[in-house]
Amino acid sequence: MALSSFPDIWGWIETLPPPTQWQTNTKSITICSSSSSPSSSQPSLQLSISKTLNHPSNSISFSILADYNYPISLWTSKPLKISTNSNILNHQNNTISKLLTNIIKDILNYTPIKPNNSFLNLPESDSIPDLKDIFNFLFLALAFIISIYEAPQDIRRDCINSLKDQFACSWARETSKRLMMLMGSNTEEQWMRSMNLAITNWKMELRTMSNYVLKAPSPMYSSAVSALGLWKVQLYCPVIAMEVEKCNSVRGQEDPKLEFSLNYHQVEGVIQLNYEVMVRERWIDVLVSVDNVRCDVIRLVNNILLKERGAGIDEKHFPSRISLQLTPTVQTNVISVSVSRSSENPTREIGLERSIEGSFEPPNPHIGISVSAAETVTTNLKPWKFEQSVYGCSGTFDWFLHDSVNGREVVSSRPSKVALLQPKAWFRNRYSSAYRPFTRQGGVVFAGDEYGESGEGAIGQTMEWEVKGWIWLTYWPHKYKTFYTETRRLEFREVLRLTLN
């Protein structure tokens, strides 16, 4: 797929002669330039390759420069040993793998949370599929994050705007998924936190500027795999990029400390579905069950920053609704759709007990009277309610969080000011109470719900299934004294494949 306006760096390097034949010590290519200043005299962002030919060690290094009259170095790779008589992209000495590892580690280091790079172990370059695409994508990601943190002010905005658009194209989205599989799950989490922190920093900075709003390079990242009876969808999204559905104050007028805490988090979600194909005499049954659905709200900065610049480590959004919709994309042979579990209604136990006690103890010289009264109210509401339904050939799963006091759906309501002032309200104790609706980290896990579909005449065919989902996050104050509340939403869509045999 085309790279749009981002240069084909791999193709450019392939055209270069061996370093011993260079007329100069450096070779450069423009990554992006100022759109508002088309003159060739204006600075641009460039990738430069420099050679150092010293016996017995010959090496090259890659740099990203702001190309002024006196170039400013923004990033430089570690020296890479090469063979002077062959092309730089030759697999000898595994130079390419070392460069890719160098870029990934440097991107991971742009976070206050110390990354653990011990899990990063890339294969040798000649065994990496789609190496050219991954090579180019890593330079795109590096240039974007360098532009945010290192680029001079006069070219920074134009470079970011130019580079961010590349992340939304189909080439970048598909290549990023292959890169995540190459790096492994642990490095994938670190990568997404580093990239989403950069997006959050830039958007927070732009919120201080009037009449200018940055659309994130991609509202979120998601990927899907299908193998061995399991479908898995993984997704990440910075909270600041989620759509605000409702809030109870004018945006931009929140407490700066609270705003910092709320925005410096990201959503991390995993949806795992088990599927089973059962061949009948005249039709095929496909049974899909929810292995587990996990949703966590993860901090992008360390606890020290959240305490110093924010409202505290516990002031963050929590999941209030999760919805999944599963649909076969081609429905010609679909006979019927069914669900196999009943919707769950919330457990509700409300009791009221009043008592009065009295005593009179004569004949003492002092008359003694003792009276006491008590009233006990008990309420037990199941916080999460599960519902499922069928619309045409789509099976829908919904999990709703309900207020543990009045039973109202959290995503469509908000607490009263009186409730917000109560120190023992359930949402002020949501991470530590024995009856908390979340894990201690503020996430949720669901499992065990089913969806079934029957079809005919499809043996040996591959079916495509669309998985659409929506996640709502809500903020109600935890310990911080504020009346501010809000709900945000993200949407994702992935296609999964199933061979009927």
Side-chain angles (χ1 to χ4, degrees):
M1 298 181 184
L3 277 174
S4 187
S5 61
F6 191 72
D8 180 4
I9 295 174
W10 178 280
W12 168 67
I13 295 176
E14 276 190 320
T15 65
L16 296 177
T20 52
Q21 300 177 24
W22 293 4
Q23 300 300 313
T24 60
N25 286 331
T26 61
K27 295 290 184 179
S28 300
I29 183 174
T30 299
I31 296 176
C32 63
S33 57
S34 174
S35 59
S36 58
S37 304
S39 171
S40 59
S41 62
Q42 294 300 317
S44 61
L45 208 63
Q46 292 199 339
L47 174 68
S48 177
I49 307 176
S50 302
K51 67 176 181 178
T52 303
L53 303 181
N54 295 321
H55 183 76
S57 176
N58 303 311
S59 65
I60 59 169
S61 60
F62 288 74
S63 300
I64 293 181
L65 308 171
D67 185 30
Y68 294 86
N69 291 332
Y70 297 97
I72 300 174
S73 177
L74 308 179
W75 171 85
T76 302
S77 72
K78 294 179 179 179
L80 302 165
K81 292 183 179 180
I82 58 166
S83 172
T84 57
N85 296 318
S86 61
N87 186 278
I88 294 173
L89 297 178
N90 188 291
H91 294 291
Q92 185 177 355
N93 296 326
N94 213 15
T95 302
I96 302 173
S97 291
K98 292 177 181 178
L99 176 60
L100 298 184
T101 300
N102 189 168
I103 293 173
I104 292 172
K105 287 185 176 181
D106 283 354
I107 289 176
L108 297 183
N109 284 331
Y110 278 101
T111 171
I113 302 176
K114 186 175 178 62
N116 185 348
N117 295 328
S118 61
F119 295 104
L120 181 59
N121 186 19
L122 298 182
E124 294 186 2
S125 56
D126 55 358
S127 62
I128 298 177
D130 307 306
L131 178 60
K132 174 181 176 179
D133 286 336
I134 289 174
F135 185 91
N136 285 330
F137 177 80
L138 277 174
F139 273 104
L140 168 63
L142 177 65
F144 176 72
I145 208 165
I146 289 296
S147 295
I148 289 177
Y149 289 113
E150 311 293 348
Q153 195 64 36
D154 55 343
I155 66 172
R156 186 162 168 243
R157 171 173 163 175
D158 287 331
C159 286
I160 293 173
N161 285 338
S162 172
L163 294 169
K164 73 179 179 63
D165 293 334
Q166 310 308 314
F167 285 90
C169 74
S170 57
W171 167 82
R173 294 184 69 85
E174 292 304 314
T175 304
S176 65
K177 295 175 183 179
R178 295 195 289 271
L179 174 63
M180 296 304 108
M181 295 183 67
L182 187 68
M183 292 192 301
S185 297
N186 291 299
T187 305
E188 173 186 316
E189 290 182 354
Q190 297 172 15
W191 170 279
M192 295 308 306
R193 292 172 188 177
S194 187
M195 293 298 295
N196 285 336
L197 173 61
I199 293 170
T200 301
N201 281 331
W202 178 238
K203 292 199 72 172
M204 287 289 283
E205 181 180 328
L206 289 178
R207 290 179 69 162
T208 64
M209 304 177 187
S210 59
N211 302 320
Y212 190 78
V213 178
L214 170 76
K215 183 178 180 181
S218 174
M220 55 156 253
Y221 164 86
S222 63
S223 64
V225 294
S226 176
L228 303 175
L230 179 70
W231 287 331
K232 179 182 178 181
V233 178
Q234 185 95 26
L235 60 93
Y236 303 87
C237 182
V239 168
I240 200 170
M242 295 175 65
E243 178 184 351
V244 178
E245 283 207 337
K246 63 178 183 179
C247 65
N248 63 352
S249 71
V250 178
R251 286 189 57 71
Q253 295 183 0
E254 302 97 317
D255 183 321
K257 284 184 170 291
L258 180 60
E259 184 180 27
F260 184 92
S261 285
L262 294 185
N263 285 312
Y264 277 89
H265 286 85
Q266 76 171 8
V267 182
E268 297 185 4
V270 177
I271 295 96
Q272 291 187 174
L273 307 173
N274 293 321
Y275 64 85
E276 183 179 1
V277 179
M278 293 170 286
V279 180
R280 310 299 186 186
E281 184 177 352
R282 299 182 60 185
W283 71 88
I284 299 172
D285 285 337
V286 178
L287 178 65
V288 180
S289 61
V290 176
D291 179 75
N292 66 86
V293 175
R294 305 192 299 273
C295 180
D296 291 293
V297 182
I298 302 296
R299 59 187 169 88
L300 293 173
V301 294
N302 58 35
N303 290 344
I304 296 175
L305 279 175
L306 286 175
K307 291 176 181 178
E308 290 181 350
R309 298 185 56 188
I313 61 175
D314 290 326
E315 300 306 318
K316 62 179 182 178
H317 295 80
F318 54 83
S320 54
R321 180 185 175 186
I322 299 175
S323 180
L324 298 178
Q325 180 176 291
L326 188 62
T327 309
T329 57
V330 178
Q331 302 169 9
T332 308
N333 295 323
V334 175
I335 300 173
S336 65
V337 171
S338 64
V339 291
S340 58
R341 281 192 59 186
S342 300
S343 293
E344 295 175 357
N345 293 316
T347 301
R348 185 180 180 91
E349 297 176 4
I350 297 180
L352 177 62
E353 180 181 346
R354 292 188 176 94
S355 62
I356 184 169
E357 297 179 359
S359 64
F360 178 72
E361 300 178 358
N364 268 320
H366 304 287
I367 298 177
I369 299 177
S370 175
V371 177
S372 65
E375 179 177 291
T376 303
V377 179
T378 61
T379 303
N380 181 14
L381 295 176
K382 187 173 182 179
W384 285 97
K385 178 182 179 182
F386 167 71
E387 293 181 350
Q388 61 181 350
S389 56
V390 173
Y391 299 97
C393 289
S394 297
T396 302
F397 305 90
D398 278 292
W399 294 267
F400 300 89
L401 176 64
H402 289 76
D403 190 313
S404 295
V405 175
N406 55 34
R408 288 188 303 176
E409 186 180 288
V410 170
V411 74
S412 59
S413 63
R414 68 184 185 192
S416 66
K417 289 188 175 181
V418 174
L420 289 172
L421 293 173
Q422 294 177 354
K424 295 185 178 180
W426 74 267
F427 51 84
R428 288 190 175 277
N429 198 25
R430 56 182 178 251
Y431 305 129
S432 57
S433 168
Y435 304 101
R436 60 185 181 270
F438 312 103
T439 65
R440 285 192 177 274
Q441 288 71 39
V444 291
V445 179
F446 307 111
D449 307 305
E450 296 179 342
Y451 160 76
E453 179 261 355
S454 297
E456 62 178 352
I459 287 289
Q461 297 182 9
T462 299
M463 292 185 67
E464 287 191 344
W465 298 68
E466 179 190 69
V467 178
K468 290 181 67 176
W470 300 263
I471 295 176
W472 286 262
L473 298 184
T474 296
Y475 172 72
W476 290 357
H478 181 247
K479 294 180 179 178
Y480 198 66
K481 293 181 179 179
T482 179
F483 290 119
Y484 182 73
T485 63
E486 73 170 22
T487 294
R488 297 182 178 229
R489 178 180 64 88
L490 70 84
E491 178 179 342
F492 62 91
R493 175 188 177 275
E494 288 292 335
V495 174
L496 297 161
R497 290 169 177 83
L498 167 64
T499 300
L500 302 178
N501 51 34

